[in-house]
Amino acid sequence: MNLGGVVSMEKKAGRRLGEKQSTSKGQISIDNVSISFGSGLTKKLAITETTLNITPGEFVCILGPSGCGKSTLLNAVAGYVSPSSGKILVDGKPVKGPSPERGMVFQQYSLFPWKTVHDNIAFGPRIAGYSSTECKSIANTLLSMIGLSNSAKCLPGELSGGMQQRVGIARALANYPSVLLMDEPFGALDAQTRLMMQESLLNIWSEFGTTVLFITHDVDEAIFLADRVLVMSASPGSIISDFRVGLERPRNPEISTSEEFIELKKQCLSQIRSESLKAFEGSGGH
Amino acid sequence: MRAAYLDKAESNVDGSDVAGSMGKQKALGVGSIADGPLDPMAHRNSVLYKLAHLFGQLPIRAIAVGAISVTIGLFLWHWATLYKFNYFVNFEHVPAPLLVGDAFSRHFFDPAFHTHVLVSLRRIFFAYSIAVVLGIVIGLIVGRSRTARSAILPYIEIIRPIPAVAWIPLAILMWPTEEASIIYITLLGALFPIILNTVHGVEQTPEVLVRAAQSLGANRAQVFWHVVLPAAMPSIAAGLAIGMGISWFSLLAGEIISGQFGIGYFTWHAYSMINYTDIVVGMLVIGALGSLSTYLVRLITRPMLRWNRKLR
């Protein structure tokens, strides 16, 4: 491992936690990417000729109706799916498979149920070959950041859905990835928990400063979180509009009643609505 | 009834023991201020509490019903042999339970009988250990690799239904020693349930966990070790318990024909000598050893499944 190169995870953490990432890591460029599944007659085009550039440290939400292929696009950036044509580069390097450089947060039930909360978070550093003391200090730093220090020894099954998702985020961040990919991470949570999670995610993000690519079908969530909201069309998926959210940070939930917020929401909704209708009719309306 | 008992046991111990442990803390001068509030669960570490809890956890009701049921069974057996019950099923020559008990108590102190039991246990131990290792390894490979599955599955499907007894002649011909052929037959019995359950467990591994591990930097081997194996563990444990039962089943087949020692041989020998009482002794001992060893397997695998029970 590159243990020699990394002075100490703690130092690294301290440096990164202190200020927003000054290095220009976390740049994503999606160049003319199409993704299709199956072959022959059953071939289905999920994503068509999509081009997208995300600058380091940016928080980007992809907003779209269910089934529009937004998760497919995310999975391609994560490296689980390879594009049929086009290129995906992260920090100039082509994506060839999953990597700890690109942390992934899933919708639900993705924690290892047989490992304690602490061991779930320490999994990445452990795999990367850090000593158990280093793993412990990384895990403890993140545990206190997500406010779950007291649950370190719990098994995931003993935690609520919101707590589990916080652990999921901490686990992905334990590798200090340059990009954080989030696939509707709060989709299964109740509305109250959801709001709390959004705020807490913004706090964590402001400390880490990683690039975030966040998938959601919730317009409010997208606008509240993002620097940029990309609206995706229904199948085959492609990005049809790119809204810049100029709302001031740090943001609090009251912001959702501001004029600017409502105006953005109107624009997004009208786009989404026409796309949802297409998807609804296209799928035979089930 | 059980709940009421449990409550009582807990409250009794609660009362006496919290006071005890608090006293101890004060006496030792352990500052509970620095440690935060006194741990309300601290008394649970005391031996007295654990004993009472263990006793309270015993399924008293189930044990009582089981004991009554067995007593009734013994009585019916006794009654049927006493009156030489003969209506379709013939009890005329079936040894009475008291006779069997008598014979058992004689054998219990007989070194020759000990040898039979020990030889059988040793065979089970070797055959089962090999079956566990082989079964889990083959199961994991078949479960994760399509090529391996296509290559190995035909063998499993054809060999699996062959009863242990049918293997006896070939086993004797193929293996250098009788001991080896008996172990081979026993091993075969345990092997298939372990393989099949392992395959099933591996197939149950949630894909999202595999993806999560990959995105955290795990390579193929690490995914296997940290994700696939633990995810398959509940199913593997079930296979291990079933395999233990079947290995006794097969051991008997091997011992009856080709052994000189062993509890199966003992039973078969009793049959040749027309000693019906010893046949029943042999049968019951086999049954007891089989269920004891299965229980042991469950006990050993239980700690690995702690997470699985907590989920429910």
Side-chain angles (χ1 to χ4, degrees), chain B residues 128 131-132 134-144 149 153 156-157 160 189-205 228-246 298 305:
Chain B
Y128 185 73
V132 168
L134 269 182
I136 293 180
V137 169
I138 295 176
L140 289 177
I141 295 171
V142 169
R144 278 313 271 183
R149 160 176 301 233
L153 224 54
I156 295 178
E157 291 306 326
R160 188 166 61 107
L191 187 63
F192 293 109
I194 298 178
I195 293 182
L196 293 175
N197 271 275
T198 307
V199 172
H200 176 74
V202 169
E203 284 170 346
Q204 300 277 300
T205 310
V228 177
L229 194 62
M233 209 49 216
S235 183
I236 293 177
L240 291 180
I242 299 168
M244 181 51 102
I246 297 187
R298 289 194 198 282
L305 305 176

Side-chain angles (χ1 to χ4, degrees), chain A residues 22-236:
Chain A
S22 51
T23 49
S24 61
K25 285 194 90 183
Q27 204 235 330
I28 307 174
S29 82
I30 297 173
D31 184 14
N32 208 18
V33 162
S34 297
I35 302 168
S36 52
F37 295 111
S39 56
L41 285 174
T42 57
K43 190 165 174 174
K44 189 179 174 287
L45 193 60
I47 299 284
T48 184
E49 291 170 3
T50 297
T51 296
L52 174 61
N53 267 300
I54 298 171
T55 55
E58 208 171 12
F59 198 127
V60 176
C61 281
I62 298 184
L63 186 63
S66 54
C68 72
K70 52 195 193 299
S71 289
T72 307
L73 188 63
L74 191 83
N75 283 336
V77 180
Y80 301 125
V81 179
S82 39
S84 327
S85 67
K87 273 188 299 187
I88 300 178
L89 302 176
V90 173
D91 293 327
K93 284 175 290 183
V95 170
K96 282 188 185 132
S99 145
E101 278 290 288
R102 280 163 274 128
M104 185 81 189
V105 181
F106 301 87
Q107 186 165 19
Q108 220 188 355
Y109 299 126
S110 73
L111 298 177
F112 306 120
W114 45 83
K115 288 186 192 287
T116 61
V117 165
H118 174 280
D119 291 352
N120 262 284
I121 297 175
F123 184 80
R126 196 178 149 196
I127 291 289
Y130 289 103
S131 76
S132 65
T133 357
E134 285 172 310
C135 291
K136 216 173 206 163
S137 86
I138 294 168
N140 287 336
T141 310
L142 284 157
L143 274 167
S144 67
M145 186 183 286
I146 60 170
L148 286 177
S149 294
N150 290 332
S151 308
K153 285 183 183 153
C154 291
L155 290 169
E158 298 169 296
L159 302 184
S160 69
M163 287 159 116
Q164 289 192 30
Q165 278 315 66
R166 274 187 275 167
V167 177
I169 295 168
R171 182 179 67 175
L173 289 173
N175 281 324
Y176 294 90
S178 50
V179 172
L180 191 60
L181 306 170
M182 309 183 82
D183 189 2
E184 297 198 39
F186 309 144
L189 303 177
D190 62 83
Q192 279 307 314
T193 314
R194 212 171 168 162
L195 288 176
M196 309 249 295
M197 291 295 290
Q198 289 165 2
E199 255 192 292
S200 123
L201 173 64
L202 284 185
N203 286 333
I204 294 171
W205 174 70
S206 70
E207 289 190 59
F208 272 76
T210 52
T211 309
V212 179
L213 188 56
F214 188 106
I215 302 287
T216 182
H217 57 249
D218 182 338
V219 181
D220 291 82
E221 184 169 76
I223 299 172
F224 179 66
L225 293 172
D227 293 324
R228 255 166 94 191
V229 177
L230 307 174
V231 180
M232 241 175 127
S233 72
S235 54

